[in-house]
Amino acid sequence: MWMTQLKTAIINSRHDGNAKVTLISGGGAGHEPSFAGLVGDGLLSAAVSGSVFASPSVHQIQNTIASAGGSTGTLLIIMNYTGDVLHFHLAAEKARLAGHEMAVLVVGDDVSVGRRKSGKVGRRGLAGTVLVEKILGAVAQQDDATLKKLYHLGKEVVANLATVEVGMGIHNETGCYVLKPQPDINVLVDQMLDQLLEQEDEDRAYVRFNDAEDLVLMVNNLGGISNLEFSAMTKVVVGRLSNRSLHPRRVYAGAYMTSLDGKGFSITLLKASKAMIQALDAPASTPGWTAHQHLETSPVARRLSVVEEQAERMDSGSSRLKVDNRSLSAAISRACHRIVAAEEEIDRFDSLVGDGDCGSTLARTARAILADMEKGGSVSPDGDAVGTVETIAKVVENNMDGTSGALYAIFLNAVGASLRNCGACVAGLDALQRATPARVGDRTLMDALEPFIRALQAGESTDAALIAAQSGRDRTQGMRASLGRAVYVHEQGWREVPDPGAAGLVVLLKGLLLA
């Protein structure tokens, strides 16, 4: 029944795509009913899903835009995670080249990690994203709805949205800190509401709710709490808000955005306008949008940094840059085997400062390159360096999930274009730094990559450049994280291991350069 409804919703979205602005959302699987369960009349036009907790590929997103995108424009609504931001922006740029009118709305509603710790990465996207999608889905049905209008309305909703989550992180992170067990659910809820509402806390006071014209409450089940317990929690949240003289006009309670079957829940507050309330009340026919409770008797007294990357267009002809084919094949094979051998160690690093799959992601791609080489692919038979880089870039795009995949793909595509024009790897670094704010000192693979490239740019030997990369990797151990999922974990993890991405890059470079 659920799948039949979903298929019908997707088919309908394709038929109606040209008449109205298309709304497309998506991200990693494991959050169902988000995102596919929100496709239907009055909500999303289409959704695209990656592997569990991993961003969909650029190719997947492009196909969804091509299938569902309308002539009046397409708005991509995504949550603020690096892989999603990079992949969806790259897909949007490619769609623009193909003639689509595009915009990307990034939702960040988390307040559990404050401004100082979240740094450049900003607020995570959590369950409040569903409210953004519902409001925009309703307004998109109006005759005067334009892409520009929907984008700016989305920004307004996000700026008035705040969510705090308790339990394991939405991507199985260990959490930014550990709460002591509480014998009374009232105490736990009060702690969560303090983070949402405390105006004196400059680090977390993202929205001022005490002057809200209308207040919307969403209590979201991460999937593993029983209906009985969850109903009691929702009642407690409404009651504790009332004790603070805050009375929600609308209450939404249910499993809207899960984390597989995570034992946790989140509280979302929206400082809503009357127009937002009307949009939330508008009918929607989707499997994942459930009924809400009106609380009309207790009314209260009445902020995208667009990361743009122009896709490099490369002609398919052979370039003039030739290398020794046997030596290149040996170097690539050696590097891939070293990555595979280091899979377990890199995953161990990532289990302490991320979601534990960095080594597996790199190793899966290395195995795909090795398999491609066995079939005669990847390495150009005539020693064409550019052709080899382009082919490996495609393998990376199709096999490497998440942030790592986007970063490596952008770098390799830019290197290929630069080599075709007699350039250098500096162009790849420049392309990365246009697409991401990550720099040396942020505890990312950039801490190893940039010193390596800058050493080569300065005329130093490959041995010296490799030493620079290793030193950069080593400096990340104990370094405060400014980007990526490491931002959200306990600082102890930063002291115990180097950045997994930087560690993986050094293994790759050693394989390429050291016979």
Side-chain angles (χ1 to χ4, degrees), residues 9-138:
I10 294 175
I11 292 171
N12 289 338
S13 74
R14 289 173 179 170
H15 289 316
D16 296 337
N18 289 327
K20 304 204 180 277
V21 176
T22 301
L23 303 183
I24 299 176
S25 188
H31 303 303
E32 289 73 21
S34 290
F35 302 89
L38 298 174
V39 175
D41 292 338
L43 227 153
L44 296 177
S45 310
V48 54
S49 175
S51 300
V52 173
F53 296 161
S55 170
S57 68
V58 174
H59 183 66
Q60 286 177 281
I61 303 165
Q62 282 184 275
N63 282 345
T64 305
I65 295 170
S67 299
S71 60
T72 52
T74 297
L75 178 62
L76 304 181
I77 306 171
I78 62 174
M79 301 196 297
N80 187 26
Y81 296 98
T82 307
D84 292 329
V85 171
L86 292 171
H87 284 129
F88 277 86
H89 273 94
L90 181 53
E93 290 302 320
K94 290 189 174 185
R96 288 190 183 100
L97 288 175
H100 290 270
E101 186 181 359
M102 303 294 302
V104 184
L105 176 67
V106 181
V107 180
D109 54 320
D110 176 32
V111 300
S112 60
V113 180
R115 293 178 175 90
R116 287 189 296 272
K117 189 172 184 180
S118 62
K120 294 180 180 180
V121 71
R123 297 200 284 168
R124 288 180 290 188
L126 296 175
T129 307
V130 177
L131 295 177
V132 177
E133 293 167 342
K134 176 61 181 72
I135 291 170
L136 296 184

Side-chain angles (χ1 to χ4, degrees), residues 87 332-333 335-341 343 347 357-374 378 389 391-409 412 504 508:
H87 284 129
I332 294 172
S333 177
C336 289
H337 282 294
R338 290 202 179 195
I339 285 290
V340 171
E343 176 181 1
D347 273 348
D357 67 349
C358 182
S360 302
T361 299
L362 293 172
R364 180 174 63 252
T365 308
R367 293 187 183 101
I369 294 173
L370 290 170
D372 196 48
M373 291 175 67
E374 289 180 4
S378 290
V389 171
T391 304
I392 291 177
K394 291 178 182 177
V395 176
V396 168
E397 284 190 30
N398 292 330
N399 291 276
M400 193 180 294
D401 296 316
T403 302
S404 297
L407 294 175
Y408 275 97
L412 289 170
L508 178 63

Side-chain angles (χ1 to χ4, degrees), residues 422-496:
C422 300
C425 289
V426 174
L429 179 63
D430 290 342
L432 270 185
Q433 293 187 338
R434 291 195 300 272
T436 173
R439 299 293 186 270
V440 169
D442 287 333
R443 202 180 200 277
T444 69
L445 65 82
M446 204 69 77
D447 285 279
L449 178 63
E450 184 169 351
F452 176 79
I453 293 177
R454 296 305 184 200
L456 294 178
Q457 185 183 21
E460 298 185 31
S461 67
T462 54
D463 287 346
L466 184 54
I467 291 173
Q470 292 176 142
S471 298
R473 172 205 60 194
D474 295 344
R475 284 192 295 270
T476 64
Q477 187 162 341
M479 182 184 292
R480 173 178 290 275
S482 299
L483 289 166
R485 289 178 182 156
V487 167
Y488 307 115
V489 304
H490 197 279
E491 289 87 343
Q492 178 63 31
W494 302 343
R495 295 193 290 270
E496 293 183 9

